[in-house]
Amino acid sequence: MTGVTPNSPVIEHFPVVVVGAGPAGLTVANILSAAGVRCVVLETETRQFIERRPRAGVLEEWAVRELDKRGLGGSLLAGAQRHTACEFRFGGGRYRFGYGDLTGLHHWVYPQPLLVTDLVRAYADERGGDVRFEVRDVAVHDIDSDRPSVSYTCPKTGERRLLRCDFVAGCDGARGVTRAVVTDGRARVARHDYGIGWLALLAEAPPSTDCVLFGVHPHGFAGQMPRSPEMTRYYLQCPPGDDAESWSHARVWEELRVRLAARGAPEPVEGPLIEQRVLDMHDYVVEPMASGRLFLAGDAAHLVAPIAAKGMNLALHDAFLLGDALVARLTRDDDSSLAGYSAACLRRVWDYQEFSQWLSEVYHGPAAGEPFRAGTALARLRRLFSSPVAAAAFAEQYLGSAERY
């Protein structure tokens, strides 16, 4: 190759380099590929790892409609569970909130590993897209120029490779290199720490009810999220930084029984715990979500704690907007959507962050050891089941169904 010495990297050219093969990066790649725009996806993990990595599983209806419209929702619609209600348990009672009856809308429960598997198959296997796994030492260069690039080390040959491109999509998560580039004096990072932890559990046991449960209890919050007829996700509030190993099998199930107890309610179905880790609850937002020719999406741009099950939905929203904006710029020379990308994403991001904070007070206030916070949390819950206006407002935020953000 002209101008390349034995010590020079191997150089390739792509209109777009996508860094990260999560839901956001793979959705962007599929949108570009469907429009005939060449791209390459770089991922530091193996394909097997990303297809099995345990993550969230709740998708809002608008997100599934968008996936299906783009030919990416077939397996999801065939295999996902449709949820139309959730249940709150507090004060010894059980209160079912039928948001499906109220709005005509619903959620889909489809674990993220299954969605990632679908997206990899669509991009790499069906469309012949270029995705490179197990890459090392990824670096982003010259994002303020009209010819940025991304370099990495090939895991098979040890060669250094340089990908010159028009745009970089940074979809490599909270600890990825693209977020570090943007937050290095180019953008503000707004962060919020809740001061609590959640013990995240995956049990080989059927759910005790047909819907998501939220247990609001003086001992702390507990949640049940059905994943399949044989598998259930549970959460237990705990101190931040708590040791997951300190929670024995017996202790876990005892606390679940106590915190999810309600008159006439079946107890959780006990089973082996195949995953057990502590999540420290915090949020952040990178603003703006772009710098030069680098555009962030998903957890690279924002993290919303799993309190309201919004993370995967925000990642997909970013990806739809970014993929469409890149197609418009590269096929029609229309840069209007790309110029407005960050602002359009952040309106929904901040709305979801606010809802997460509101819901956190409902979940965690009664266990805060402060009578005032406990009282106001229970007032919010009672209003939810006594005021049609409050119920409608909650349903809109819970479903992400507002007409405008």
Side-chain angles (χ1 to χ4, degrees):
M1 188 175 296
T2 303
V4 178
T5 71
N7 294 323
S8 298
V10 176
I11 300 175
E12 300 173 86
H13 299 262
F14 291 89
V16 181
V17 174
V18 179
V19 184
L26 290 167
T27 300
V28 170
N30 273 291
I31 292 171
L32 294 172
S33 181
V37 176
R38 291 176 63 242
C39 68
V40 59
V41 179
L42 302 180
E43 170 57 51
T44 59
E45 301 290 353
T46 66
R47 178 169 178 170
Q48 182 182 48
F49 179 86
I50 67 167
E51 291 182 344
R52 295 184 178 181
R53 176 170 43 194
R55 286 293 185 270
V58 177
L59 284 168
E60 293 167 350
E61 190 175 349
W62 63 265
V64 175
R65 284 200 305 267
E66 283 293 319
L67 286 167
D68 191 46
K69 184 172 73 176
R70 299 164 190 276
L72 301 171
S75 296
L76 189 160
L77 290 168
Q81 299 177 46
R82 186 172 177 269
H83 282 229
T84 59
C86 59
E87 184 174 302
F88 289 86
R89 294 183 180 177
F90 61 94
R94 55 191 302 195
Y95 303 84
R96 192 174 180 92
F97 186 82
Y99 52 84
D101 293 336
L102 187 64
T103 66
L105 301 175
H106 56 269
H107 280 121
W108 294 99
V109 173
Y110 196 64
Q112 181 173 310
L114 297 183
L115 179 62
V116 168
T117 299
D118 295 343
L119 294 172
V120 172
R121 184 185 301 118
Y123 176 67
D125 301 337
E126 297 173 8
R127 294 191 165 116
D130 188 346
V131 54
R132 304 178 188 183
F133 293 102
E134 299 182 81
V135 300
R136 304 194 306 273
D137 307 318
V138 177
V140 181
H141 316 277
D142 303 322
I143 62 171
D144 294 318
S145 73
D146 60 0
R147 186 59 64 175
S149 61
V150 180
S151 62
Y152 71 95
T153 299
C154 175
K156 294 180 180 178
T157 66
E159 290 179 313
R160 195 69 186 161
R161 294 181 176 269
L162 183 69
L163 307 177
R164 288 184 174 154
C165 56
D166 297 305
F167 299 98
V168 180
C171 310
D172 51 342
R175 298 177 180 85
V177 297
T178 61
R179 177 176 182 262
V181 170
V182 173
T183 57
D184 185 16
R186 296 170 177 268
R188 180 188 73 176
V189 181
R191 183 182 171 100
H192 173 72
D193 289 287
Y194 290 92
I196 58 170
W198 275 12
L199 178 66
L201 305 153
L202 192 62
E204 285 186 334
S208 60
T209 62
D210 63 348
C211 67
V212 172
L213 298 182
F214 305 121
V216 180
H217 193 276
H219 282 203
F221 169 77
Q224 174 198 271
M225 286 70 180
R227 284 293 177 261
S228 74
E230 302 83 24
M231 201 75 68
T232 307
R233 169 73 71 187
Y234 287 104
Y235 293 109
L236 283 169
Q237 182 182 343
C238 64
D242 203 2
D243 180 9
E245 298 303 316
S246 70
W247 287 79
S248 67
H249 180 97
R251 182 186 179 195
V252 164
W253 289 105
E254 176 61 22
E255 281 300 310
L256 285 171
R257 284 190 288 268
V258 168
R259 300 185 196 187
L260 293 175
R263 291 180 293 275
E267 288 189 347
V269 180
E270 190 169 333
L273 299 171
I274 60 174
E275 182 196 343
Q276 200 162 318
R277 58 197 174 102
V278 172
L279 309 174
D280 288 344
M281 296 290 105
H282 68 277
D283 308 316
Y284 63 75
V285 179
V286 178
E287 192 169 14
M289 290 170 49
S291 183
R293 295 290 185 105
L294 170 59
F295 294 83
L296 302 182
D299 286 358
H302 42 72
L303 180 72
V304 57
I307 292 165
K310 295 293 190 181
M312 185 158 58
N313 296 284
L314 281 179
L316 290 173
H317 182 254
D318 295 347
F320 298 143
L321 294 186
L322 181 55
D324 289 346
L326 288 169
V327 168
R329 171 63 176 79
L330 291 165
T331 65
R332 302 190 299 276
D333 201 28
D334 177 357
D335 65 357
S336 58
S337 295
L338 208 53
Y341 164 73
S342 179
C345 290
L346 285 168
R347 285 192 290 271
R348 187 181 288 261
V349 169
W350 281 117
D351 189 274
Y352 281 19
Q353 295 285 18
E354 187 278 331
F355 181 58
S356 181
Q357 284 201 317
W358 185 92
L359 199 55
S360 176
E361 270 303 297
V362 171
Y363 289 169
H364 307 123
E370 301 174 27
F372 189 90
R373 287 180 64 188
T376 55
L378 293 173
R380 289 179 178 182
L381 280 169
R382 288 192 296 270
R383 186 166 61 246
L384 187 59
F385 293 94
S386 61
S387 165
V389 174
F394 175 84
E396 180 181 83
Q397 289 190 288
Y398 189 62
L399 292 161
S401 61
E403 289 187 10
R404 295 182 60 190
Y405 285 94

